[in-house]
Amino acid sequence: MKYKRSLLKLSGEALMGGNEFGLHSTSLKQYAEEVKKVVDMGGQVAIVIGGGNIFRGFSSSRIREKIISRINGDYMGMLATVINGIAFQSYLENIGICTNIQTAIKMDPIVEPFEKDIAIRYLEKGRVVIFVAGTGNPYFTTDTAAVLRAKEIKADVLLKGTRVDGVYTKDPEKDQYAKKLENISFDMAYQMKIKVMDQTAFILANENNLPIIIFDINKEENFKKVISGEKIGTLVYKNKKLWKN
Ligand code: UDP
């Protein structure tokens, strides 16, 4: 196994499957199965869950723009991640994976508060930990929360599960000559303005030397393959030498 402890960022978009909103049961089941495969081979899995399938603070809805402030919208977005976290915990536990949820915003009877040392202990015991409520602060995203939590729990890698299988030189849907990149530096990722993760997250990961792998989470076995060290998706790195062996 190449990456013993990983942090998987699951976006709200992934959780809604083919739907336009909310949760898609088949997708949740499928992701839970993929997580189980990694846990079964001894991998330690933490997850930061998004909320965009329910609410995005910077949504351009005219009604929201006029009535709900950006900050309140962001808090609503963070609460949306709690809903997703509870849902995904249920799907994991349903297939026998013990799962704890830790939140950046305290809500006692529902989920535990975030504590890095306790989270690490859970992971060492083979439990999955889902981090919800992002960073706990407005104006951030769950991508940034994923980098932050990955560093705090000393994860070996951050995995960004998406619907595409990596970073391309151009938009593969528009350009037949678009090529998938096996790895790129953070510097290149900034220059290319790739949209698969937000720039704040990339900057934080670069400054703190956290490798990110962007891969297609919908393809069966992909999560396990990435953890095992197979070259799936695109690796975004700070120092190539540190991460290639
Ligand atoms: N959010 C926030 N602070 C955070 C994380 C999230 O304010 O630290 C809010 C923000 O409004 C965001 C929403 O929660 O739009 C949902 O998170 P995100 O867009 O990152 O979810 P994803 O795109 O992964 O589904």
Side-chain angles (χ1 to χ4, degrees), residues 190-208:
Y190 302 142
Q191 277 168 27
M192 288 171 67
K193 293 194 170 76
I194 57 173
K195 292 192 189 85
V196 71
M197 266 193 116
D198 77 62
Q199 295 283 309
T200 314
F202 271 139
I203 290 167
L204 195 63
N206 187 16
E207 283 178 356
N208 295 289

Side-chain angles (χ1 to χ4, degrees), residues 88-126:
F88 196 49
Q89 178 191 39
S90 309
Y91 278 80
L92 286 169
E93 299 232 324
N94 188 47
I95 53 167
I97 307 281
C98 297
T99 308
N100 290 76
I101 304 180
Q102 290 199 344
T103 174
I105 299 173
K106 277 193 183 172
M107 43 189 96
D108 279 347
I110 312 177
V111 285
E112 305 168 35
F114 169 66
E115 263 191 62
K116 67 174 177 26
D117 296 334
I118 295 179
I120 290 172
R121 235 169 285 147
Y122 287 148
L123 294 170
E124 285 169 349
K125 283 183 181 160

Side-chain angles (χ1 to χ4, degrees), residues 70-72 74-75 78 135-140:
R70 164 72 196 259
I71 291 172
N72 281 340
D74 280 344
Y75 279 115
M78 285 184 261
T135 63
N137 301 295
Y139 295 107
F140 286 93

Side-chain angles (χ1 to χ4, degrees), residues 9-13 50-53 55-58 73-75 77-78 81 133-143 145:
K9 163 68 208 290
L10 258 187
S11 68
E13 195 179 67
N53 55 322
F55 201 85
R56 273 186 210 282
F58 42 82
D74 280 344
Y75 279 115
M78 285 184 261
T81 71
T135 63
N137 301 295
Y139 295 107
F140 286 93
T141 65
T142 52
D143 281 353

Side-chain angles (χ1 to χ4, degrees), residues 86-234:
I86 295 171
F88 196 49
Q89 178 191 39
S90 309
Y91 278 80
L92 286 169
E93 299 232 324
N94 188 47
I95 53 167
I97 307 281
C98 297
T99 308
N100 290 76
I101 304 180
Q102 290 199 344
T103 174
I105 299 173
K106 277 193 183 172
M107 43 189 96
D108 279 347
I110 312 177
V111 285
E112 305 168 35
F114 169 66
E115 263 191 62
K116 67 174 177 26
D117 296 334
I118 295 179
I120 290 172
R121 235 169 285 147
Y122 287 148
L123 294 170
E124 285 169 349
K125 283 183 181 160
R127 302 174 76 98
V128 167
V129 183
I130 303 177
F131 297 119
V132 298
T135 63
N137 301 295
Y139 295 107
F140 286 93
T141 65
T142 52
D143 281 353
T144 305
V147 176
L148 189 65
R149 294 291 182 248
K151 289 306 295 183
E152 285 176 292
I153 62 159
K154 302 186 173 74
D156 302 314
V157 68
L158 166 56
L159 303 176
K160 166 94 183 188
T162 68
R163 292 200 279 203
V164 287
D165 63 348
V167 177
Y168 282 77
T169 48
K170 290 184 180 127
D171 184 345
E173 280 166 16
K174 291 182 190 151
D175 192 326
Q176 59 167 321
Y177 299 108
K179 269 194 178 160
K180 201 188 98 183
L181 300 164
E182 229 174 56
N183 46 54
I184 57 168
S185 64
F186 281 107
D187 292 340
M188 235 169 105
Y190 302 142
Q191 277 168 27
M192 288 171 67
K193 293 194 170 76
I194 57 173
K195 292 192 189 85
V196 71
M197 266 193 116
D198 77 62
Q199 295 283 309
T200 314
F202 271 139
I203 290 167
L204 195 63
N206 187 16
E207 283 178 356
N208 295 289
N209 205 9
L210 176 73
I212 299 176
I213 297 174
I214 295 154
F215 75 107
D216 180 359
I217 179 89
N218 291 316
K219 212 163 170 201
E220 233 180 275
E221 304 269 308
N222 255 6
F223 183 25
K224 185 178 164 182
K225 285 181 182 167
V226 175
I227 294 296
S228 307
E230 277 187 47
K231 285 188 178 141
I232 305 278
T234 299

